[in-house]
């Protein structure tokens, strides 16, 4: 420890900074990156007085052909031009065309790497059977929309041009602002087998009972979005960037085999025509039930599996102010429901699943829906729709208004018939239902442009999902959302900024889900605190529900409602691939000189005495000394050392103290311990310092330093720490809350990295003679040892 000289005018110590060359201002404003604010979208992040958005109402009549696994339908679209622009044509999305053999999604597919293709070491990094099957089947499947006709309001044919997954309809006359136009389309397409061709919808075939389960979405031509900051959003659908849609009212009639149960977006309009009296009575009971009520029991579903009806039924649904529509249909469905209050609304939480989903689904699905609504309402707004549905089928996880498709189910042992599920399957099911039902909030209501910015719905939703999962049970196994869970990705090289178009993302799940979720968690827990963050996030949600926000609207609202300049945070986390890696590089200890020679010279002597004894002095112990043999040689200097206090020292001290004011004398007497700590920003991402200070007595406490400590020097800083007693240890980010990628350089003194060494027995090489003489197993024996799968 050094002694710090004291100046009468001012304590000669302050935070210092080492200038960076060239200077990289991490705190410069985002003005050069964000679009200019105006009357449509304000600088506060709120919709302006001139905000507008388009609208599209749909009247759809669709028929499911189970035998041929196809859909045919017709629709009438009424499109409202609320923009200030005159439109000469309309763009319509034909997302089913992603399954055409000549689609961009098929033709632009590439191998992840040559090594993954040819030098794989196992199933984790190699080409799988399912992957090769997908490649081959996608080149033969006759998918995509067959557009039979496009007609105007009076039945006249309209000229249209199909550009892959988009269709342009040329209007017979320009569409003026504040006008509307109606047109109709007839179409059909073959439904993809989801487990073969993948996708966000499709059918699943059950070999055991020879039934199909259909999850149907993107099944009708849908209006592309047209909005102020982009114009027509008609980027081709390549599979990753999802959907950008307009709100509207839907009137949909779905004709299916008479023994099917249909789960759908919207309110069922004709329960008397499609449900039995018992089913209708059970639905009514479910509205006020305290636990899920079975509308269709497993016994009833199993009985339905064994027969085939040649008749049909038409299910009629209406949905108000939604941006999309989807449904599921099968005779295999078990159906349970329970009412839940959402603000002033009663919501029917409902689950549809085959018997293969039990016992997992009957226990957790509807409960997970209810939990999601209760938790998301706290942080955004009250769920406004009449139903919230979870369907078990081939799609692993996908969201639509009021309905979601979720995949996890138990595994049946092919030999014993025993049903089991892993911990990962259980929590994966709860998590995916929370996530997909949560998507009703983002983007089904807060209607961001998914085709452009995946993170705006996936990242925000994953963040809220992590909060909801923590509220499910203590120590819920989180996979995303926690800062510590993102460090490996942050340290990787193969990444792009979050603010990258959806179709150009690398490490898609980490980039669009995990990193923004972790960033928002850090913003809530470390930067703003829960009170400021929660108010700002709810403000954003309320401002933009049933509207279309952009990233700038989110960034600006969070700053506006929290009263905090966060441009440095958005820049670092969303516009760069910088990582958090803050290192403690050095520490110097200082004590304030008391000016008292009795104290200071005693301190100086203690410092010298603490120095290690030289190797020569150690070996010379006991050596005969001349002055010991001749004591008459000793004088004044043998009785006094350099640390003897003289009267001159005492007089000087007295004179000095006379010149000091009382507050200056008190400052000298405080006995504070001062430390200069050198920090370096090795990762590039500026973050607050969260310092755990351990004192000699064993006491520990946290000192939090805002990120602005880096504003003058983003690479290296020196910070002053003041303690009441000597410091024994210092740790940055002790709770792993900042996503620091290297904990090894976060402590003083350094802490050892602990790990385990795995030892293996030496084994002989391959023995061809032994392998050749191994008895050959019969086909049945080999099959019996094959691991069970579903």
């Amino acid at each position: 420890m050094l002694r710090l000289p004291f100046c009468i005018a001012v304590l000669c110590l302050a935070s210092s900074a080492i200038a960076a060359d060239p200077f990289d201002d991490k705190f410069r404003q985002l003005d050069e990156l964000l679009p200019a604010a105006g009357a449509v979208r304000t600088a506060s992040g709120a919709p302006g007085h001139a905000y507008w958005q388009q609208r599209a109402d749909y009247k759809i009549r669709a028929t499911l052909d189970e035998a041929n696994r196809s859909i045919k339908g017709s629709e009438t679209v009424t499109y409202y031009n609320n923009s200030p622009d005159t439109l000469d044509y309309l763009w319509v999305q034909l997302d089913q065309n992603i399954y055409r053999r000549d689609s961009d999604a098929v033709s632009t597919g590439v191998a992840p790497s040559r090594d993954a293709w040819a030098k794989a070491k196992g199933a984790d990094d190699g080409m799988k059977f399912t992957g090769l099957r997908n490649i081959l089947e996608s080149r033969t499947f006759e998918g995509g929309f067959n557009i039979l006709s496009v007609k105007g309001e009076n039945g006249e044919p309209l000229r249209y041009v199909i550009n892959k997954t988009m269709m342009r309809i040329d209007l017979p006359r320009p569409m003026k602002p504040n006008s509307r136009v109606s047109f109709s389309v007839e179409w059909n397409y073959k439904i993809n087998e989801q487990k073969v061709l993948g996708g966000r919808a499709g059918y699943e075939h059950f070999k055991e009972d020879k039934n199909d389960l259909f999850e149907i979405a993107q099944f009708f031509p849908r209006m592309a979005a047209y909005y102020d900051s982009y114009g027509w959003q008609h980027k081709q659908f390549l599979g990753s960037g999802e959907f950008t849609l307009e709100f509207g009212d839907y009137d949909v009639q779905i004709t299916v085999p008479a023994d099917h149960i249909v789960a759908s977006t919207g309110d069922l309009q004709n329960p008397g025509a499609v449900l039995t009296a018992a089913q209708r009575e059970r639905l009514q009971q479910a509205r006020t039930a305290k636990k899920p009520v079975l509308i269709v029991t497993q016994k009833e579903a199993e009985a339905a599996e064994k027969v085939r009806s040649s008749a049909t039924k038409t299910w009629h649904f209406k949905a108000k102010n939604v941006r999309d529509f989807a449904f599921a249909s099968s005779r295999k469905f078990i159906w349970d429901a329970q009412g839940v209050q959402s603000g002033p609304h009663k919501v029917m939480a409902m689950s549809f699943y085959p018997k293969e989903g039990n016992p997992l689904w009957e226990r957790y699905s509807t409960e997970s829906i209810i939990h999601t609504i209760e938790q998301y309402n706290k942080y955004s707004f009250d769920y406004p729709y009449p139903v919230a549905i979870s369907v078990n089928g081939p799609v692993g996880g996908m969201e639509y208004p009021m309905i979601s498709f979720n995949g996890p189910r138990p595994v049946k042992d092919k030999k014993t018939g025993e049903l089991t599920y892993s911990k990962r399957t259980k929590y994966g099911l709860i998590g995916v239902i929370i996530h997909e039902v949560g998507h009703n909030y983002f983007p089904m209501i807060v209607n961001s442009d998914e085709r452009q910015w995946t993170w705006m719905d996936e990242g925000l939703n994953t963040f809220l999902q992590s909060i909801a999962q923590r509220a499910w049970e203590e120590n819920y196994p989180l996979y995303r959302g926690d800062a510590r869970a993102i460090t490996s990705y942050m340290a990787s090289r193969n990444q792009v900024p979050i603010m990258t178009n959806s179709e150009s993302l690398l490490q898609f799940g980490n980039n669009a889900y995990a990193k923004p979720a972790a960033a928002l968690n850090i913003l809530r827990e470390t930067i703003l605190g829960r009170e400021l963050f929660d108010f700002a996030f709810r403000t954003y949600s309320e401002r933009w529900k049933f509207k279309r926000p952009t990233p700038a609207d989110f960034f600006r609202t969070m700053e506006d409602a929290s009263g905090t300049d966060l441009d440095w945070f958005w820049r670092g986390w969303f516009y760069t691939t910088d990582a958090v890696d803050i290192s403690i590089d050095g520490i110097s200890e200082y004590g304030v000189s008391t000016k008292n020679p009795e104290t200071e010279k005693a301190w100086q002597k203690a410092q010298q005495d603490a120095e290690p004894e030289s190797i020569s002095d150690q070996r010379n112990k006991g050596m005969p000394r001349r002055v010991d043999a001749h004591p008459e040689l000793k004088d004044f200097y043998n009785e006094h050392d350099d640390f003897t206090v003289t009267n001159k020292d005492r007089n000087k001290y007295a004179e000095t103290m006379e010149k000091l004011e009382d507050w200056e004398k008190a400052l000298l007497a405080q006995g504070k311990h001062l430390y200069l700590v050198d920090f370096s920003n090795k990762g590039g991402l500026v973050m607050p310092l969260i310092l755990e200070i351990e004192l000699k007595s064993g006491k520990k406490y946290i000192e939090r330093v805002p990120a602005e400590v880096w504003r003058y020097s983003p690479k290296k800083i020196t910070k002053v720490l003041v303690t009441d007693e000597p410091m024994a240890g210092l740790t940055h980010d002790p709770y792993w809350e900042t996503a620091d990628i290297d904990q090894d350089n976060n402590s003083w003194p350094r802490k050892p990295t602990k790990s385990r060494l795995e030892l293996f027995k030496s084994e002989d090489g391959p023995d061809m003679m032994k392998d050749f003489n191994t008895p050959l197993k019969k086909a049945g024996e080999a099959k019996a040892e094959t691991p069970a799968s579903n």
Side-chain angles (χ1 to χ4, degrees):
M1 182 175 73
L2 304 177
R3 299 301 270 183
L4 184 68
F6 183 82
C7 304
I8 294 178
V10 64
L11 185 65
C12 299
L13 190 62
S15 295
S16 65
I18 303 173
D21 187 24
F23 182 65
D24 179 17
D25 185 4
K26 303 285 188 180
F27 292 85
R28 66 190 185 277
Q29 298 299 283
L30 285 178
D31 293 347
E32 78 270 22
L33 297 176
L34 299 184
V40 178
R41 300 172 187 273
T42 69
S44 69
H49 66 85
Y51 179 82
W52 57 269
Q53 64 186 27
Q54 309 291 67
R55 178 181 178 85
D57 294 339
Y58 295 83
K59 187 176 183 180
I60 302 173
R61 303 295 179 256
T63 300
L64 171 65
D65 184 341
E66 181 178 28
N68 293 306
R69 292 164 176 160
S70 65
I71 287 182
K72 65 178 180 180
S74 63
E75 64 183 293
T76 299
V77 182
T78 302
Y79 184 70
Y80 298 80
N81 182 16
N82 298 320
S83 79
D85 308 323
T86 297
L87 305 178
D88 295 320
Y89 46 79
L90 307 178
W91 281 100
V92 177
Q93 302 184 65
L94 303 179
D95 300 294
Q96 283 298 322
N97 285 1
I98 196 173
Y99 295 109
R100 288 177 58 90
R101 284 174 284 182
D102 61 351
S103 76
D104 286 352
V106 173
S107 61
T108 62
V110 296
S113 71
R114 179 171 291 274
D115 287 345
W117 180 271
K119 298 181 180 179
K121 297 179 180 179
D124 290 341
D125 61 351
M127 173 63 71
K128 298 176 177 59
F129 282 92
T130 54
L132 183 57
R133 180 174 64 169
N134 177 277
I135 291 173
L136 299 179
E137 290 291 333
S138 64
R139 281 156 173 75
T140 60
F141 179 64
E142 296 180 357
F145 278 116
N146 296 309
I147 302 298
L148 305 179
S149 68
V150 180
K151 298 179 179 179
E153 294 184 67
N154 299 322
E156 75 280 12
L158 297 178
R159 183 178 184 276
Y160 64 92
V161 175
I162 295 176
N163 177 19
K164 300 174 183 178
T165 60
M166 291 288 168
M167 178 172 69
R168 192 190 74 234
I169 299 176
D170 296 333
L171 298 174
R173 62 193 64 82
M175 189 179 186
K176 300 294 185 182
N178 301 312
S179 65
R180 69 180 184 180
V181 65
S182 294
F183 64 91
S184 61
V185 184
E186 288 185 86
W187 41 264
N188 63 55
Y189 70 91
K190 290 186 176 180
I191 302 168
N192 59 296
E193 185 174 1
Q194 200 279 337
K195 290 188 179 295
V196 175
L197 292 168
R200 290 170 169 78
Y203 76 87
E204 177 182 8
H205 181 65
F206 293 79
K207 292 182 179 179
E208 187 175 299
D209 54 54
K210 297 180 174 59
N211 280 291
D212 290 345
L213 188 159
F214 296 88
E215 292 180 324
I216 304 300
Q218 300 97 50
F219 68 98
F220 59 99
R222 305 179 295 172
M223 286 302 306
Y226 182 83
Y227 64 104
D228 60 287
S229 59
Y230 200 90
W232 285 108
Q233 174 50 283
H234 47 34
K235 285 184 180 294
Q236 292 293 327
F237 180 40
L238 301 180
S240 294
E242 290 180 336
F243 312 112
T244 310
L245 301 158
E246 306 288 8
F247 288 108
D249 293 342
Y250 284 71
D251 182 325
V252 181
Q253 294 183 18
I254 307 165
T255 301
V256 298
D259 52 0
H260 273 216
I261 294 293
V262 176
S264 174
T265 299
D267 252 339
L268 180 61
Q269 301 297 298
N270 61 336
V274 295
L275 302 181
T276 67
Q279 290 166 349
R280 297 195 300 273
E281 182 179 350
R282 293 167 185 169
L283 262 179
Q284 189 59 37
Q285 293 172 354
R287 292 189 65 83
T288 56
K290 300 300 182 184
K291 62 181 182 179
V293 173
L294 285 167
I295 313 305
V296 176
T297 68
Q298 180 162 334
K299 182 178 179 181
E300 292 166 344
E302 290 178 351
E305 289 178 347
K306 299 171 183 176
V307 295
R308 297 290 187 278
S309 174
S310 58
T312 62
K313 285 184 180 179
T314 298
W315 295 61
H316 186 191
F317 296 90
K318 288 185 177 180
K320 290 186 175 296
N321 210 22
V322 294
R323 63 170 232 163
D324 201 359
F325 195 99
F327 70 94
S329 183
S330 181
R331 65 180 55 84
K332 289 179 64 67
F333 278 143
I334 304 164
W335 175 9
D336 72 49
Q338 181 182 342
V340 57
Q341 200 68 31
S342 176
H345 309 291
K346 175 71 77 170
V347 178
M348 289 298 288
M350 302 193 290
S351 297
F352 297 76
Y353 45 95
K355 65 179 185 298
E356 288 79 5
N358 274 337
L360 199 59
W361 272 73
E362 64 186 0
R363 177 175 293 182
Y364 293 116
S365 179
T366 298
E367 290 284 358
S368 299
I369 298 171
I370 293 171
H371 180 73
T372 305
I373 292 172
E374 291 173 347
Q375 293 300 313
Y376 276 58
N377 284 6
K378 293 179 182 178
Y379 302 101
S380 55
F381 45 76
D382 292 336
Y383 183 87
Y385 292 133
V387 299
I389 296 171
S390 171
V391 179
N392 179 229
V395 179
M398 187 60 201
E399 71 281 0
Y400 302 97
M402 307 186 215
I403 187 171
S404 61
F405 303 154
N406 303 299
R409 56 171 79 128
V411 173
K412 183 178 182 179
D413 188 286
K414 292 183 178 180
K415 186 175 181 181
T416 66
E418 181 184 9
L419 283 170
T420 60
Y421 54 85
S422 65
K423 176 182 178 181
R424 187 176 182 89
T425 298
K426 170 191 170 179
Y427 289 103
L429 174 63
I430 297 168
V432 76
I433 292 175
I434 292 173
H435 183 89
E436 305 305 343
V437 173
H439 268 309
N440 279 284
Y441 299 79
F442 308 92
M444 299 303 152
I445 296 173
V446 179
N447 185 26
S448 58
D449 183 345
E450 294 183 271
R451 186 65 52 88
Q452 183 68 23
W453 307 115
T454 297
W455 72 266
M456 282 200 72
D457 71 294
E458 297 296 357
L460 271 61
N461 186 40
T462 302
F463 162 68
L464 284 185
Q465 175 192 349
S466 69
I467 292 179
Q469 287 174 163
R470 284 186 170 99
W472 178 274
E473 69 180 58
E474 190 174 5
N475 298 321
Y476 187 102
L478 292 175
Y479 301 109
R480 289 172 174 160
D482 224 351
R484 68 186 68 194
I486 198 65
T487 53
S488 294
Y489 169 71
M490 297 284 281
S492 69
R493 299 171 65 99
N494 186 33
Q495 56 172 304
V496 294
I498 292 174
M499 287 292 291
T500 299
N501 175 257
S502 300
E503 294 293 352
S504 300
L505 298 180
L506 304 176
Q507 300 194 61
F508 193 88
N510 281 324
N511 179 287
Y513 294 66
K515 184 179 177 181
L520 294 178
N521 187 55
I522 291 168
L523 191 60
R524 182 176 189 248
E525 301 286 13
T526 302
I527 310 296
L528 293 177
R530 292 187 176 188
E531 183 178 7
L532 282 177
F533 180 93
D534 290 351
F535 177 81
F537 192 85
R538 190 175 182 94
T539 298
Y540 166 74
S541 304
E542 290 281 3
R543 279 179 175 180
W544 289 99
K545 65 182 180 182
F546 299 110
K547 296 181 178 68
R548 179 175 289 109
T550 65
D553 300 318
F554 177 68
F555 298 153
R556 287 166 170 160
T557 293
M558 292 300 292
E559 295 193 18
D560 177 67
S562 70
T564 308
D565 181 359
L566 297 170
D567 281 17
W568 64 270
F569 185 82
W570 309 129
R571 182 184 297 279
W573 277 90
F574 288 78
Y575 287 90
T576 78
T577 58
D578 289 348
V580 181
D581 183 8
I582 295 173
S583 172
I584 299 176
D585 293 336
I587 296 182
S588 298
E589 181 180 3
Y590 289 82
V592 177
S593 172
T594 63
K595 304 294 186 182
N596 187 337
E598 307 285 352
T599 303
E600 295 306 309
K601 288 196 172 183
W603 179 84
Q604 292 168 11
K605 185 177 188 307
Q607 303 311 300
Q608 179 173 290
D609 292 345
E611 294 176 0
E613 188 176 17
S614 75
I615 189 67
S616 296
D617 287 346
Q618 293 179 43
R619 292 171 178 174
N620 288 339
K621 285 187 183 296
M623 175 191 292
R625 314 283 181 171
R626 187 168 189 81
V627 293
D628 294 330
H630 301 278
E632 67 275 9
L633 296 176
K634 294 182 179 181
D635 65 0
F636 173 86
Y637 293 103
N638 293 100
E639 297 177 5
H640 299 276
D641 56 22
D642 293 340
F643 307 108
T644 298
V645 178
T646 67
N647 289 334
K648 182 178 180 181
D649 293 333
R650 295 184 179 95
N651 291 337
K652 183 179 179 181
Y653 172 63
E655 293 170 2
T656 299
M657 295 302 290
E658 287 178 1
K659 297 176 182 178
L660 297 182
E661 298 183 21
D662 290 343
W663 67 268
E664 292 171 324
K665 295 177 183 178
L667 190 61
L668 290 178
Q670 285 186 10
K672 297 292 185 181
H673 298 261
L674 307 178
Y675 296 86
L676 289 185
V677 185
D678 297 325
F679 296 93
S680 62
N681 178 9
K682 296 180 178 296
L685 197 57
V686 294
M687 287 294 282
L689 302 178
I690 298 96
L691 305 176
E692 181 185 71
I693 298 171
E694 182 179 1
L695 302 179
K696 186 177 180 180
S697 64
K699 177 184 176 182
K700 293 182 179 180
Y701 64 94
I702 299 293
E703 189 168 310
R704 293 179 178 267
V705 182
E708 283 75 10
V709 72
W710 300 96
R711 67 192 184 279
Y712 299 126
S713 178
K715 294 184 178 180
K716 290 183 178 291
I717 56 172
T718 300
K719 185 75 179 71
V720 179
L721 299 182
V722 182
T723 63
D724 292 328
E725 57 179 286
M727 186 165 62
L730 179 66
T731 301
H732 169 60
D733 195 15
Y735 307 132
W736 298 1
E737 61 184 278
T738 68
D740 195 302
I741 64 172
D742 185 1
Q743 294 292 330
D744 291 343
N745 60 20
N746 283 16
S747 297
W748 171 83
R750 292 287 192 252
K751 298 178 181 178
T753 301
K754 296 181 179 180
S755 188
R756 305 288 279 181
L757 175 65
E758 193 74 29
L759 299 180
F760 300 91
K761 293 187 67 172
S762 300
E763 295 183 1
D764 295 333
D767 186 337
M768 182 186 292
M769 182 181 295
K770 180 180 179 181
D771 295 344
F772 183 83
N773 292 325
T774 299
L776 186 65
K777 292 181 179 179
K778 296 179 180 179
E781 294 174 332
K783 185 177 181 181
E785 293 188 5
T786 302
S789 63
N790 190 16

